[in-house]
Amino acid sequence: MLGKLLLATFLGVTATAHAGTELSIGSTDRALRSASADAVTGDSYTGGALGVARQLHLDIPGLSLWATGALQWGGARGTLFDLATDLSQTGYLVGGRARYAIIPHIDATAHLQVGVAHTSLALTDQMSREVSDAGWGGIAQGALGVELLAVQQPSFTLGLRLELGYVAAAPVTLA
């Protein structure tokens, strides 16, 4: 609930902005590197993300700083013994992004975000009996990337962002 409130507040603050506001949509794919995740699935976590960012107008040549907010979702499926597993997570994040203009139409980017995530796990046997649990935990992520900007006008920019990052999530106890 706290994550939804933070994201709604951030979206409300930036909804009145015109120039200097970024809306983004993207996909995610991350390897699950923990003993508990490996026990549930051997697949990668895949999902999507919706984001909004508001430029902070500071006079630093070539560098722009942004306040960010994001909604992320995804999951992975697998097998634990003879049980089908379904792992899903929804995250609500806030943070910041820095962009540095390398050459026209190409920027370097770095971001850091923190927030909360709702994680759920369902186990289903061959007779379709299911047990499940869910919980909340903290999440943080950081990434470095490059932006390829096809259209770059003062009031409108269209581009593609490619990032490589790391996600750390607090353990959620599921029973």
Side-chain angles (χ1 to χ4, degrees):
M1 189 64 176
L2 177 61
K4 289 180 184 179
L5 180 61
L6 289 172
L7 185 60
T9 301
F10 189 82
L11 290 171
V13 168
T14 61
T16 59
H18 299 288
T21 299
E22 174 187 278
L23 300 175
S24 61
I25 184 168
S27 63
T28 61
D29 186 32
R30 64 175 126 136
L32 300 173
R33 298 282 186 241
S34 71
S36 59
D38 289 340
V40 173
T41 182
D43 292 345
S44 294
Y45 170 97
T46 58
L50 291 173
V52 64
R54 178 74 178 137
Q55 186 174 8
L56 306 173
H57 295 284
L58 304 172
D59 292 329
I60 304 172
L63 182 69
S64 62
L65 300 176
W66 300 71
T68 63
L71 167 64
Q72 298 180 343
W73 65 89
R77 295 178 186 259
T79 305
L80 174 64
F81 303 109
D82 283 327
L83 302 171
T85 60
D86 187 5
L87 172 69
S88 64
Q89 186 179 71
T90 304
Y92 308 92
L93 301 120
V94 295
R97 172 179 306 284
R99 291 165 124 173
Y100 183 75
I102 300 172
I103 59 174
H105 301 287
I106 299 180
D107 291 355
T109 183
H111 86 257
L112 180 62
Q113 294 182 320
V114 297
V116 295
H118 185 260
T119 303
S120 63
L121 175 64
L123 305 173
T124 308
D125 68 11
Q126 294 174 348
M127 294 174 35
S128 298
R129 293 179 293 198
E130 181 180 292
V131 293
S132 62
D133 196 10
W136 289 90
I139 188 169
Q141 68 179 30
L144 297 173
V146 63
E147 294 181 350
L148 309 172
L149 305 169
V151 177
Q152 202 169 11
Q153 302 295 324
S155 63
F156 179 78
T157 301
L158 178 65
L160 175 69
R161 179 181 300 134
L162 303 169
E163 294 180 320
L164 182 61
Y166 186 81
V167 176
V172 177
T173 303
L174 303 175

